[in-house]
């Protein structure tokens, strides 16, 4: 093999390795190894499929290194929070109640793995229920994260803007405008909020009544007995839009109490609150509270009562915003901000039905994963024994397992509006502002401490026990407020709420084990006094009702800009495909290109690729947004097959003698790609215009002509798709003269061959002597010339691997080295007995590039 061919093969092998192995080297690395066999229920896929799945934006590595990093991050955060909370409690002594440990001597409460508590009590149906509440880790993070947010100027300004915008114009008089507070200090904005709170004094009840009338006018007065109930209000949870299988509700026959507040009084958000849900045997209360608030926001703004997916939201919480595989609960205020600020779109319930995990085991085993055995029993959607329940996807490469997890692809949903930390414990509770924002349709979520009183409500859902028998953290949806005067005017025997009235809490998530959603409190609602809220609410988050910030996800827009539809080009030629991609929701979609014949071409707005075969190709570009919404565009282009080029290298003489041995040498070049590629020798065929001539085939052979005359030699090269390319050479064959010098042709080495100095170079030639016979004696001289240097070559005998001898010489034997490429002339002289001499010469290269 020549040096040039060796170099070409080396480059080709390098390119093949880069194409086939590059992605794997990036994905299947030691730090990405799972560290143990796949968990039960994992889906095993091929390495190539796994590599593709790992590019999904929602894919999360479930490697040993990733798990350890998450655990270390959580532990470091907890240690830091334990120090920080002491400083915060010194500033706000009322927070001390949230640091108390529950009384674990009480048989109805115990500490469970995952740093949480398991509470047991009896519901309105007389059945035992268990709920999970948050332990110290989540509670400390909630207190500290909410304080950090509360102290931010942008939060206070946003809160003031929301409160100011909710006022009627006549009450705005005398208050600073939000624009005038831009650039002001924390203290100045807080003073404006206090002024607004004072402005509302004595006005809120009228604003609440006006909100009820406005709702009637907007949605239409119902013909039913209840004039406030909208005509399209879903009286059954199953009638909520896209309610799915209803597995977020574990149904019982309990309903609202006849002597309770729900059946007797009204508040502005009463009929904008969706059905009571049920979290089953999971600590997903934060997800349920936020989902319920989002459902209310959709109802307020769009008049649609939707059922959104708590499964999706809690998955996002435990994989991204508060990532943890085995610790339940999450810092409510912090997660609420991430929900609104991230632009995450929450899908419908039927896109991933909630898994209550009713058969999940809860025990005190040392292995935290023991808490989650049985999470997926009686559930046939994506699931795993983790808090987030994303399905595990695993593959095996080189004896190691690699795993990741991801939720289902979601294709539509609602984005939560902007949120603000309205209040934190230790500050003055702005009751007037809270009531007015609720009346104006602003949903709120509360982080609170569960006390024993929450498990011992009276029969109508009132919380009467105000003792600080703490039982862990909780998140809940705040849906309304009723004053003592309004309650007692309708229900004179109802307990008077300390502080002026009762907050109405939709207990959308404080439910575990079996079914008790509507059997807790008043059909799932619990009524707590203002004073209890001051004592045991950690914080309140309010969401904006801006229509621009909540909408159904829309697909991207995409079009192909180049090449033009109907374009044609050589099929192996690299072509750049470009697309214009926009997303109406402001996202950056993932863009992929495919060919109807070749499959995937690449990804990105611009892709350069070539085809593997000629013909018509339908090129499709697809844009996919974060929720799985797609848009596509297609064009049809043709990859043309170019005819190859044939080249006759030898014979290059125009005359020859009858019987003279000639070297026939040629090649075919396929020019479809950017660089010509040599065709295999089997694709070459030779012919002569003289039908009596017998020629060989392939890239190289020797032959002679038996008769005189002029003939045209044709070389045909045929590519793999049947396209031919021809080359011709005309040669005149003469009868040999009665006497003359020998006709010699060097057969090896060939003209322009390249060798290293230590190569054994074959020396062979053909001889025709018009005046001699094969037995004649000839003098043969080989001479190698380089510039002014010249060597007479004395052939030696070399053998092939099969021990077949042949004459050869080795340049190194004559002091020639590999330092630099040296173009040399090898000349052959043959003298016959008549002292007539025939010659031939070739050019060869010795050495290599330094």
């Amino acid at each position: 093999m020549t040096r040039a061919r060796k170099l070409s093969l080396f480059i080709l092998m390098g390119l093949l390795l880069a194409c086939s192995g590059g992605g794997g080297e990036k994905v299947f690395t030691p730090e990405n190894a799972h560290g143990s066999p796949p968990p039960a229920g994992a889906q095993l896929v091929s390495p190539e499929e796994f590599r593709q799945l790992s590019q999904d934006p929602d894919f999360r590595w479930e490697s040993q290194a990733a798990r350890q990093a998450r655990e270390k991050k959580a532990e470091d955060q907890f240690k830091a929070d334990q120090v920080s909370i002491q400083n915060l409690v010194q500033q706000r002594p009322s927070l001390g109640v949230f640091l108390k440990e529950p009384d674990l001597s009480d048989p109805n409460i115990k500490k469970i793995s995952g740093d949480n508590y398991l509470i047991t009590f009896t519901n309105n149906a007389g059945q035992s229920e268990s709920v999970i509440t948050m332990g110290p880790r989540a509670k400390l993070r909630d207190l500290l994260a909410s304080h950090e947010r509360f102290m931010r100027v942008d939060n206070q300004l946003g809160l003031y803007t929301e409160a100011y915008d909710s006022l009627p114009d006549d009450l705005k008089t005398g208050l600073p405008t939000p624009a005038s507070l831009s650039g002001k200090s924390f203290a100045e904005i807080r003073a404006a909020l206090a002024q607004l709170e004072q402005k509302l004094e004595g006005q809120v009840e009228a604003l609440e009544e006006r909100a009820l009338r406005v709702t009637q006018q907007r949605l239409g007065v119902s013909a039913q007995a209840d004039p406030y109930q909208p005509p399209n209000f879903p009286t059954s949870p199953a009638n909520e839009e896209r309610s799915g299988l209803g597995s977020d509700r574990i149904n019982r026959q309990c309903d609202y109490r006849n002597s309770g507040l729900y059946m007797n009084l009204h508040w502005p958000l009463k009929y904008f609150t969706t059905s009571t849900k049920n979290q089953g045997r999971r600590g997903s209360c934060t997800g349920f509270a936020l989902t319920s608030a989002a459902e209310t926001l959709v109802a307020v703004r769009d008049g649609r009562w939707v059922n959104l997916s708590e499964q999706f939201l809690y998955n996002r919480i435990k994989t991204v915003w508060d990532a943890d595989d085995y610790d339940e609960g999450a810092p409510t205020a912090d997660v609420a901000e991430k929900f609104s600020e991230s632009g995450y779109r929450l899908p419908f319930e039927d896109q991933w039905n909630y898994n209550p995990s009713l058969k999940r085991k809860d025990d005190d085993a040392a292995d935290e994963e023991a808490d989650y055995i049985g999470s997926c029993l009686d559930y046939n959607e994506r699931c795993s024994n983790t808090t987030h329940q994303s399905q595990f996807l695993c593959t095996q490469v080189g004896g190691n397992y690699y795993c990741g997890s991801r939720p289902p692809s979601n294709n539509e949903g609602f984005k939560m509006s902007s949120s603000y930390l309205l209040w934190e414990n230790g500050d003055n509770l702005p009751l007037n502002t809270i009531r007015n924002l609720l009346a104006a349709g602003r949903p709120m979520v509360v982080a609170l401490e569960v006390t024993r009183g929450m498990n011992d409500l009276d029969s109508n859902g009132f919380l009467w026990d105000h003792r600080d028998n703490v039982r862990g953290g909780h998140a809940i949806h705040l849906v309304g407020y009723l004053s003592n005067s309004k309650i007692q005017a309708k229900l004179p025997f109802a307990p008077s709420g300390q502080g002026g009235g009762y907050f109405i809490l939709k207990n959308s998530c404080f439910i575990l084990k079996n079914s008790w959603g509507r059997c807790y409190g008043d059909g799932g609602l619990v009524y707590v006094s203002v004073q209890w809220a001051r004592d045991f609410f950690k914080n309140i988050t309010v969401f904006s009702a801006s229509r621009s910030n909540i909408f159904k996800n829309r697909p991207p827009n995409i079009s192909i800009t180049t090449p033009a539809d109907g374009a044609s080009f050589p099929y192996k030629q690299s072509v750049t495909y470009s697309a214009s991609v926009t997303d109406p929701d402001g996202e950056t979609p993932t863009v992929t290109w495919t060919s109807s014949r070749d499959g995937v071409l690449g990804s990105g707005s611009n892709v350069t690729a070539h085809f593997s075969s000629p013909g018509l190709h339908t090129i499709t570009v697809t844009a996919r947004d974060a929720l799985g919404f797609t848009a596509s565009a297609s064009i049809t282009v043709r990859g043309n097959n170019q005819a190859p080029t044939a080249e006759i290298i030898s014979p290059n003489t125009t005359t020859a003698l009858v019987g003279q041995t000639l070297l026939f040498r040629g090649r075919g070049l396929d020019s479809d790609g950017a660089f010509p590629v040599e065709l295999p020798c089997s694709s070459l065929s030779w012919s002569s215009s003289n039908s009596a001539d017998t020629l060989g085939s392939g890239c190289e052979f020797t032959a002679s002509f038996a008769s005189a005359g002029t003939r045209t030699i044709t070389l045909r090269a045929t590519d793999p798709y049947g396209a031919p390319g021809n080359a011709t050479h005309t040669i005149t064959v003469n009868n040999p003269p009665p006497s003359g010098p020998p006709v010699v042709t060097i057969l090896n080495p060939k003209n322009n061959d390249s060798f290293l100095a230590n190569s054994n170079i074959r020396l062979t030639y053909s001889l025709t002597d018009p005046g001699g016979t094969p037995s004649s004696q000839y003098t043969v001289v080989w001479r190698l010339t380089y510039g002014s240097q010249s060597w007479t070559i004395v052939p030696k005998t070399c053998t092939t691997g099969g021990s077949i001898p042949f004459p050869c010489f080795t340049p190194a034997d004559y002091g020639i080295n590999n330092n630099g490429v040296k173009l040399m002339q090898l000349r052959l002289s043959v003298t016959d007995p008549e002292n007539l001499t025939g010659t031939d010469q070739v050019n060869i290269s010795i050495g290599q590039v330094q």
Side-chain angles (χ1 to χ4, degrees):
M1 181 182 294
T2 65
R3 177 183 174 275
R5 290 186 179 179
K6 286 181 179 178
L7 181 60
S8 298
L9 181 59
F10 175 77
I11 294 172
L12 178 61
M13 291 178 65
L15 290 172
L16 289 173
L17 287 171
C19 293
S20 64
E25 292 171 0
K26 294 179 181 178
V27 172
F28 302 117
T29 59
E31 59 268 24
N32 285 341
H34 184 250
S36 60
Q43 179 184 353
L44 296 179
V45 299
S46 69
E48 182 57 35
E49 184 178 358
F50 186 90
R51 183 185 290 109
Q52 294 176 1
L53 290 170
S54 69
Q55 306 307 309
D56 190 304
D58 291 331
F59 178 89
R60 188 176 87 141
W61 279 102
E62 300 293 349
S63 65
Q64 184 178 31
R67 293 195 304 272
Q68 291 173 344
R70 288 194 289 267
E71 291 169 3
K72 185 179 186 305
K73 180 180 179 181
E75 187 61 32
D76 291 346
Q77 183 69 66
F78 182 47
K79 291 177 181 178
D81 288 348
Q82 287 175 307
V83 175
S84 299
I85 196 64
Q86 301 304 321
N87 296 327
L88 184 58
V89 170
Q90 289 179 6
Q91 302 171 34
R92 296 177 178 268
S94 63
L95 300 184
V97 68
F98 304 116
L99 306 186
K100 292 182 61 176
E101 283 284 337
D103 180 8
L104 297 180
S105 66
D106 185 337
N108 294 316
I109 180 170
K110 70 173 183 175
K111 189 76 176 284
I112 60 173
S113 300
D115 197 37
N116 297 307
Y117 303 106
L118 184 69
I119 313 298
T120 304
F121 62 95
T122 303
N123 66 17
N124 286 346
Q127 296 171 319
S128 177
E129 296 291 352
S130 296
V131 298
I132 287 180
T133 59
M134 299 182 207
R137 292 176 185 267
K139 292 203 299 179
L140 294 188
R141 187 87 296 269
D142 206 345
L143 291 169
L144 291 166
S146 65
H147 179 68
E148 291 167 5
R149 190 177 190 198
F150 186 78
M151 298 302 295
R152 283 172 15 205
V153 172
D154 65 318
N155 175 78
Q156 294 297 331
L157 181 58
L159 175 60
Y160 181 81
T161 302
E162 200 67 34
Y164 181 89
D165 289 346
S166 70
L167 296 175
D169 289 341
D170 57 320
L171 287 181
K172 292 179 181 177
T173 304
L175 293 174
T177 64
S180 69
L181 293 175
S182 178
K184 300 296 184 181
S185 67
F186 177 88
E188 289 172 308
I189 300 173
R190 291 290 294 163
L193 281 164
Q195 184 181 352
L196 187 151
E197 172 74 9
Q198 183 62 37
K199 187 90 171 184
L200 285 168
E201 187 66 36
Q203 305 290 327
V204 183
E205 195 130 346
L207 294 175
E208 291 170 335
E209 290 299 322
R210 185 166 73 173
L212 288 170
R213 291 195 301 273
V214 169
T215 298
Q216 285 179 282
Q217 294 168 0
R218 184 164 74 89
L219 299 177
V221 176
S222 173
Q224 302 176 55
D226 186 346
Y228 297 103
Q229 181 173 307
N232 55 340
F233 178 76
T235 55
S236 168
N239 293 334
E240 292 173 347
E241 185 179 341
R242 306 285 294 273
S243 61
L245 300 177
S247 51
D248 57 350
R249 304 179 305 277
I250 303 173
N251 296 316
R252 281 201 176 129
Q253 299 305 311
C254 296
D255 207 340
Y256 299 110
R257 314 288 285 187
N258 289 332
S259 55
L261 298 186
Y262 188 89
M263 297 298 290
N264 293 279
L265 291 163
H266 297 283
W267 53 91
L269 289 179
K270 177 177 177 179
Y271 288 120
F272 294 100
T273 305
T274 52
S275 62
T276 299
K277 305 300 196 304
N278 188 322
Q279 79 181 59
R281 294 192 62 83
R282 298 171 64 190
S284 48
C285 64
T286 302
F288 272 78
L290 291 172
T291 299
S292 180
E295 291 169 347
T296 291
L297 195 53
V298 177
V300 168
R301 298 307 305 172
D302 298 340
R304 297 169 60 188
W305 283 261
V306 297
N307 189 341
L308 303 180
S309 173
E310 297 89 359
Q311 186 82 355
F312 260 115
L313 185 56
Y314 195 57
N315 176 274
R316 175 61 56 137
I317 291 171
K318 300 311 292 184
T319 57
V320 180
W321 301 331
D322 184 51
D324 199 296
D325 293 330
Y326 302 112
D327 281 353
E328 294 278 22
T332 307
D334 189 39
V335 168
E337 180 178 21
K338 290 170 180 173
F339 185 11
S340 60
E341 297 302 319
S342 68
Y344 176 72
R345 288 172 174 79
L346 180 57
F348 291 102
E349 175 71 16
D350 63 5
Q351 292 177 259
W352 195 10
N353 287 282
Y354 184 70
N355 176 22
S357 296
L358 298 179
K359 294 186 177 179
R360 192 182 81 172
K361 291 183 179 180
D362 295 307
D363 59 35
D364 297 319
D367 181 2
E368 290 186 347
E369 295 190 38
D371 276 3
Y372 303 106
I373 293 174
S375 295
C376 306
L377 293 175
D378 299 333
Y379 182 72
N380 59 5
E381 299 183 44
R382 286 178 184 255
C383 186
S384 62
N385 281 311
T386 59
T387 55
H388 52 78
Q389 296 200 348
S390 288
Q391 184 177 27
F392 276 63
L393 304 158
C394 300
T395 194
Q396 188 174 19
V397 176
N400 291 322
Y401 285 103
Y402 297 86
C403 295
S405 64
R406 65 174 188 139
S409 298
N410 48 5
N411 55 17
E412 56 185 328
F414 293 89
K415 186 173 84 169
M416 201 55 156
S417 62
S418 301
S419 68
Y420 307 101
L421 206 292
L422 189 158
W423 174 81
E424 69 165 342
N425 195 291
D427 198 54
N428 292 326
L429 185 71
L431 183 58
N432 295 328
T433 301
I434 292 172
R435 291 176 63 182
N436 185 57
L437 285 170
L438 287 170
R442 272 63 166 180
M444 298 182 189
V445 172
V446 174
L448 54 81
E449 185 74 14
V450 175
T451 65
R452 180 170 179 174
M454 289 191 70
N455 301 140
D456 292 324
L457 307 177
D458 76 4
S459 60
N460 292 317
F462 289 96
L463 191 156
W464 56 271
D465 185 348
H466 282 228
R467 291 174 295 178
D468 62 351
N469 295 319
V470 298
R471 294 191 164 194
H474 182 42
I476 208 164
H477 179 193
L478 172 59
V479 298
Y481 173 87
L482 287 171
S483 65
N484 283 332
S485 59
K486 182 174 284 191
I487 295 172
Q488 290 170 0
K490 187 75 172 179
L491 300 171
F493 301 106
S496 179
Q498 298 179 33
Y502 280 91
F503 284 117
I504 304 161
L505 302 179
K506 178 190 174 189
N507 194 11
S508 61
C509 63
F510 191 53
I511 303 169
L512 285 180
K513 192 179 181 182
N514 295 326
S515 169
W516 72 281
R518 293 175 66 91
C519 292
Y520 174 77
D522 185 12
L525 302 180
V526 56
Y527 311 122
V528 302
S529 70
V530 172
Q531 186 55 52
W532 191 93
R534 287 193 179 103
D535 292 339
F536 299 110
F537 280 12
K538 295 187 186 75
N539 52 66
I540 302 174
T541 299
V542 62
F543 292 91
S544 170
S546 170
R547 181 178 293 275
S548 64
N549 282 325
I550 177 166
F551 51 84
K552 193 171 181 178
N553 188 58
R554 295 164 291 177
N557 301 311
I558 190 165
S559 62
I560 298 175
T561 54
T562 57
D565 189 23
S568 62
F569 35 77
Y571 79 93
K572 285 187 179 180
Q573 175 182 310
S574 292
V575 174
T576 298
Y577 300 87
S578 300
S580 172
V581 186
T582 59
D583 188 274
D585 303 330
E587 297 177 349
T588 302
T590 300
V591 179
T592 56
W593 296 81
T594 58
S595 159
S596 57
R597 298 172 69 98
D598 287 0
V600 177
L601 297 180
S603 60
S605 297
N606 299 286
V607 166
T608 300
H610 65 271
F611 298 141
S612 62
S613 61
L616 283 175
H617 292 249
T618 298
I619 305 301
T620 301
V621 61
T622 301
R624 176 186 183 274
D625 68 14
L627 287 182
F629 259 30
T630 61
S632 300
S634 297
I635 58 172
T636 300
V637 298
R638 179 179 292 278
N640 297 322
N641 182 38
Q642 305 288 96
T645 300
E647 179 183 355
I648 297 176
I649 300 172
S650 178
N652 53 11
T653 181
T654 58
T655 61
L657 299 176
V658 172
Q660 179 183 347
T661 301
L662 298 176
L663 174 66
F664 288 78
R665 186 182 180 192
R667 63 177 179 173
L669 297 175
D670 189 340
S671 301
D672 285 296
F675 303 98
V677 176
E678 194 166 328
L679 293 171
C681 293
S682 59
S683 67
L684 304 183
S685 61
W686 298 76
S687 62
S688 170
S689 59
N690 186 334
S691 59
D693 292 340
T694 301
L695 301 179
S697 62
C699 295
E700 183 180 310
F701 59 89
T702 58
S704 61
F705 298 109
S707 62
T710 300
R711 63 263 287 152
T712 298
I713 306 302
T714 300
L715 169 62
R716 169 167 288 197
T718 305
D719 72 11
Y721 297 98
N726 296 331
T728 60
H729 179 69
T730 300
I731 188 169
T732 299
V733 180
N734 300 310
N735 287 313
S739 179
V743 178
V744 294
T745 302
I746 298 175
L747 301 180
N748 284 293
K750 299 174 182 64
N751 195 43
N752 294 326
D753 275 353
S754 298
F755 302 95
L756 296 176
N758 57 352
S759 302
N760 291 328
I761 302 175
R762 182 192 296 262
L763 296 173
T764 58
Y765 62 94
S766 66
L767 169 65
T768 302
D769 188 356
T773 64
S775 61
S776 301
Q777 298 297 314
Y778 295 92
T779 301
V780 178
V781 178
W782 294 89
R783 192 157 188 85
L784 186 65
T785 303
Y786 175 59
S788 60
Q789 296 178 280
S790 182
W791 299 266
T792 298
I793 301 302
V794 179
K796 61 183 179 180
T797 300
C798 296
T799 59
T800 64
S803 299
I804 299 174
F806 60 87
C808 71
F809 83 100
T810 304
D813 293 345
Y814 297 88
I816 301 171
N817 57 42
N818 284 325
N819 296 334
V821 177
K822 295 171 277 293
L823 182 61
M824 299 185 169
Q825 183 187 83
L826 181 64
R827 181 180 181 86
L828 171 64
S829 299
V830 179
T831 303
D832 64 12
E834 299 174 282
N835 206 30
L836 299 175
T837 301
T839 63
D840 191 19
Q841 67 184 36
V842 294
N843 293 322
I844 61 175
S845 296
I846 306 295
Q848 60 186 357
V849 178
Q850 297 302 304

